[in-house]
Amino acid sequence: MAVNSFAKNCDYPNPQILALAVSTMECIQVDKMTEYLHEPLPKCLKDEEPHVRKTAAICMAKVYDINAQMMEDQGFLNSLCDLIADSNLMVVANAVAVLSEISDSHLNSNLLDLNPQNINKLLTSLNECTEQGQIFILDFLSNYSPRDDQKTQSICE
């Protein structure tokens, strides 16, 4: 009955209730719970409220731990990678943190294509992120190996 209440709250128009419902559902780490999350998660990842998008991104890490196959089948990993281009820096930092965590256990450790656009976006966001967000982003970028000295210089600048 409680799960049904949380599922109903995923359609609630208030963004805080929506974020709390998704967050609470992902805390119940049972395989069956992922069946209830496969519908609201894509909507939450594209919600207009940054708090809802950030919460959905964080939820992705726990859902991946429970059911990695569902994440890949439903295209959630691609949606998570799309959050790198988000306008809200807290969403970007949390998406990077989750991608880093998933990359550690994922077969394809290069989930996010670190192209010049993504790198510039992440480097630009460093100035306005929280300290924790900066750590996530810098840790993630530390895995990037530029192809030539010119790109290395550009990143350092």
Side-chain angles (χ1 to χ4, degrees), residues 100 103-104 109-110 114 137-146:
S100 293
S103 291
D104 291 341
S109 61
N110 190 15
L114 286 176
I137 291 171
L138 288 172
D139 185 51
F140 191 73
L141 289 175
S142 69
N143 296 321
Y144 177 68
S145 299

Side-chain angles (χ1 to χ4, degrees), residues 4-157:
N4 287 332
S5 295
F6 296 135
K8 285 179 186 176
N9 286 338
C10 288
D11 292 328
Y12 204 78
N14 184 325
Q16 295 205 322
I17 291 177
L18 173 59
L20 280 170
V22 170
S23 179
T24 304
M25 287 172 69
E26 58 96 0
C27 286
I28 304 171
Q29 294 194 355
V30 178
D31 191 37
K32 279 283 193 196
M33 187 57 67
T34 59
E35 294 174 17
Y36 291 96
L37 285 170
H38 85 274
E39 201 172 299
L41 269 180
K43 288 191 291 186
C44 290
L45 288 170
K46 294 178 178 152
D47 197 270
E48 61 186 44
E49 283 294 318
H51 178 65
V52 174
R53 294 192 307 272
K54 175 192 76 118
T55 303
I58 294 169
C59 180
M60 292 291 199
K62 293 189 180 170
V63 171
Y64 187 85
D65 286 341
I66 296 170
N67 193 343
Q69 190 61 45
M70 183 201 74
M71 291 271 297
E72 293 180 30
D73 293 345
Q74 297 289 327
F76 288 160
L77 293 177
N78 293 334
S79 298
L80 190 58
C81 290
D82 291 344
L83 289 180
I84 297 300
D86 198 272
S87 60
N88 185 285
L89 299 176
M90 187 57 68
V91 174
V92 172
N94 281 285
V96 167
V98 171
L99 283 168
S100 293
E101 186 175 325
I102 290 174
S103 291
D104 291 341
S105 62
H106 193 266
L107 296 174
N108 178 7
S109 61
N110 190 15
L111 287 176
L112 178 64
D113 179 26
L114 286 176
N115 58 40
Q117 290 174 317
N118 286 337
I119 291 171
N120 287 337
K121 168 72 176 172
L122 293 174
L123 289 171
T124 304
S125 65
L126 282 175
N127 291 334
E128 299 175 28
C129 274
T130 63
E131 290 85 8
Q132 186 178 13
Q134 290 174 346
I135 291 169
F136 290 142
I137 291 171
L138 288 172
D139 185 51
F140 191 73
L141 289 175
S142 69
N143 296 321
Y144 177 68
S145 299
R147 299 191 206 288
D148 57 29
D149 291 336
Q150 193 173 19
K151 286 185 181 182
T152 306
Q153 287 281 50
S154 174
I155 288 172
C156 288
E157 290 173 7

